[in-house]
Amino acid sequence: DFVYQKPLSVPIFSSCDSRGFLAHAAEIFYGQPSKKIKVIGITGTNGKTSSSFMLHSIFKAAGFKPKIMGTLGFGEPSNFFETSNTTMD
């Protein structure tokens, strides 16, 4: 939930959940990219990285353009971009 106020010449938004609001604002600003791509999430205690690498290989062989995002970083397995946190924003 957020409140839209326009007392000035620029819009002002206020929210009790700024992180959640930023996520929604970015989604709208960038044209809702999550509606244009397929996302697969892998959960569990063990084997997530191995599973993501195997799925990447399968999808790539099938002609898709998969990317991985996880503990090791994001991108192509042969060219990961490192992240500073285990869980990304």
Side-chain angles (χ1 to χ4, degrees), residues 1-76:
D1 295 318
F2 66 91
V3 177
Y4 173 74
Q5 302 169 348
K6 194 174 180 185
L8 304 173
S9 61
V10 294
I12 297 172
F13 297 91
S14 65
S15 172
C16 294
D17 179 14
S18 58
R19 188 179 185 131
F21 175 77
L22 179 60
H24 290 293
E27 179 78 5
I28 292 166
F29 181 81
Y30 288 106
Q32 300 179 316
S34 60
K35 290 187 176 188
K36 300 172 188 166
I37 61 174
K38 301 290 182 205
V39 177
I40 297 172
I42 303 171
T43 62
T45 305
N46 296 310
K48 293 179 293 296
T49 300
S50 298
S51 296
S52 67
F53 275 62
M54 286 185 269
L55 283 172
H56 181 276
S57 295
I58 292 167
F59 287 128
K60 194 164 188 166
F64 293 96
K65 298 177 183 176
K67 303 291 184 233
I68 295 176
M69 188 166 69
T71 304
L72 300 177
F74 65 92
E76 291 287 330

